[in-house]
Amino acid sequence: MEDCKENNCIIDITDITKTYRLGKIEVRALRGIDLKIRKGEFISIMGPSGSGKSTLMNIIGCLDTPDGGSYFLDNTDVSQLKDSNLADIRNKKIGFVFQTFNLLSRSNTISNIELPLIYSKRGSEKTRKAKIYESLKAVGLIGWEKHKPSELSGGQRQRVAIARALVNDPAIILADEPTGNLDSVTGEEIMSIFQNLNRNGKTILLVTHELDIARHTNRIIYLRDGLISNEESIENPINADQMLATMPKLEDKVSKSI
Amino acid sequence: MKRFSESVKIAFQSLAANKLRAFLTMLGIIIGVGAVVAMMSIGYGAQESVISSVQGIGSNLIIVTPGNREEESHGFEQMIGEDKDRKALTVNDVRTIEREATLLNGAAPAILNSSVVKYLNKNQRVTVYASSEKAEFIYNFEVDKGNFYTSSDVLNSANVVLVGQTVINKLFGRIDPMGKIIKIDGKNFTIIGTIKPKGTDQFGNDQDNSVTIPITTAQNKLYGIDYVNMIIAQSKSEDTMKQASYEVERILRRAHNLAPDEKNDFTVQSQTQLLDILGTITSIFTITISSIAGIALLVGGIGIMNIMLVSVTERTREIGIRKAVGAKNKDILLQFLTESVVLSITGGILGIAFAVTVSVLLNNFTILTTNISAFSIILALTFSTVVGLFFGIYPAMRAARLNPIEALRHE
């Protein structure tokens, strides 16, 4: 178990529980989870469907609140917050990346990346533009600013989503099956972006089915029946850039700047 | 501010994405607002032209008509023509009023009739105004050429006539009508003057298609009657209108030998009262039409609510995404409310444009006078905003309350 005493934990979860009521049946989705994530970690959560993965992600992502236990995000207790405060936390502390990208189909790349900034009050127009440009650069999408999601490939869409997650400089990035809808080469490219971000100090939490993907991270948490069943540290994570070099090219690279 | 402008931008984007649907939704508002503004413009136009034509006959006028208008059951009897009061007013009454009244500039009798005038082989049906020499000032007959008939013409039942511009055009063309002899109902009349053009009245009647003759001539030589249609008296000033009206009433009661318990066999009305009555009629018209149009707006509003509910369902996922990246409930509420208000205000503006077009067309191509007031435009815009807010709030609240987790899962 990690030690959180020096305030170096981004996420400090202690004994959280969550029970759903479906008609007359009670589903105990989480039955007491302890999880500490240090700043700068790249960690993955694995588990079969029904293991409570999604529920845990929703709680960590402040889309939902736990029934019991405590949850400190960046040293703030977020387990008892109201809707509007949770929205604020999601806006400033969390960057979501989804399996299905979840971009606004009518908006172009820039507008999609800008979305979190619209809901945060801080920042002038100038710093806003600088932030968007920086995120755009980080995912290698310079030159694709005016394109709509329908004009982009799957990999490019996921890059837009990652740029959107980055734009408000969140404490943690939550990626829910980010490679699930992509072919293996494109998936590897996305993992390469995550590894680069992590090397630059970003804390990233990844949820995945695939062990191959999970092995790109430093630590794997195994979830089963609402409890952590196992935990594994990866001494030598797979390096996505090296993997890519050995793989055939399926999708043209957008930019070499990553 | 950025958030609000973003909301407006999103609203226009999502309306542009469904142009036909947006237009059909707005149609209810367009028709509603268009109808309100157009009808109000007709109402105001009518009111104004009625007022100006009543004022056009002179100012500070007191109008006396035969029969007691305050007795309600009288209406029917008057219609079937068995009313003795129809003949209650005479030229002698006018003379008595002129002789005894202290608060009046003067009084003139009037008989209005429609007759055929003839010059050589040309015929024209015209309105015949029969009055006394006082009519020149009280009725505002402006003489163009020649002179108005004099008191001695009236006393002698002279066969003299003044003709309006339309009559001149129809019967004489380019010939000078002065001194010519025309036939009215078969009797010869000498033209002693012409009257300056007055234009059309509020009902589209050509006021210049008329001639005026001395009242005594009309009574004795044309119609064979001894009564008049009405008496018009002019008060010396606006302030003494009321006293002058009472004075006329008092003089006439005495002249008609009415006992104190007998009712008036005539009705005295001031010009202001007449204007009030006409005003009431036109505002009832305006209110009636406006409330019908209001119902159209209501239906339009329900259309907006319907389409907004559809839009919320369609865009559930978008709502989920926005909430995931930090949109608060009130941000979503504002976004959808903005959209419905944009929808209804755009409809309102198109409706006003439609009404202005209709009103200009009516003004130019029909006898109706229209007047689009700033008030009706402000009213229409306010109404469409209110409709947008009222019918948009429920769909917007539904959108705002969506659970982000379920919204993100929505297909």
Side-chain angles (χ1 to χ4, degrees), chain A residues 33-210:
Chain A
I33 300 256
D34 291 325
L35 180 62
K36 323 285 172 196
I37 300 174
R38 275 178 291 112
K39 204 172 219 159
E41 252 196 297
F42 191 4
I43 183 172
S44 51
I45 295 177
M46 289 195 69
S49 47
S51 60
K53 256 186 329 189
S54 303
T55 309
L56 183 58
M57 274 300 265
N58 287 339
I59 289 173
I60 292 175
C62 291
L63 288 165
D64 208 347
T65 49
D67 295 336
S70 73
Y71 172 21
F72 285 85
L73 171 64
D74 210 11
N75 300 315
T76 315
D77 184 1
V78 295
S79 53
Q80 307 295 332
L81 291 179
K82 287 185 300 179
D83 273 3
S84 65
N85 299 63
L86 286 176
D88 247 350
I89 298 281
R90 288 199 295 272
N91 184 243
K92 295 186 175 69
K93 303 270 183 188
I94 292 164
F96 285 100
V97 179
F98 302 94
Q99 178 176 3
T100 51
F101 321 132
N102 278 335
L103 299 175
L104 298 182
S105 56
R106 282 198 292 268
S107 305
N108 63 23
T109 302
I110 289 281
S111 306
N112 264 297
I113 296 173
E114 192 185 20
L115 200 60
L117 297 175
I118 287 162
Y119 297 112
S120 55
K121 281 171 189 144
R122 59 190 179 187
S124 66
E125 187 70 16
K126 208 176 156 191
T127 55
R128 210 185 265 280
K129 284 210 169 116
K131 279 179 178 177
I132 295 169
Y133 181 76
E134 223 156 87
S135 309
L136 208 56
K137 211 168 76 177
V139 298
L141 274 183
I142 302 288
W144 296 86
E145 289 89 341
K146 297 288 173 200
H147 291 71
K148 297 206 168 153
S150 57
E151 298 158 344
L152 298 173
S153 70
Q156 288 172 323
R157 288 182 209 179
Q158 196 59 296
R159 286 162 195 250
V160 176
I162 294 170
R164 181 180 66 192
L166 282 174
V167 76
N168 241 347
D169 193 22
I172 187 166
I173 290 180
L174 298 184
D176 189 358
E177 304 272 8
T179 60
N181 275 19
L182 301 171
D183 63 75
S184 57
V185 175
T186 315
E188 206 59 43
E189 285 174 355
I190 296 300
M191 289 315 293
S192 156
I193 292 174
F194 280 130
Q195 285 187 332
N196 268 311
L197 292 172
N198 178 243
R199 269 196 283 280
N200 292 328
K202 276 276 163 241
T203 314
I204 301 167
L205 173 59
L206 191 86
V207 171
T208 182
H209 273 95
E210 300 169 72

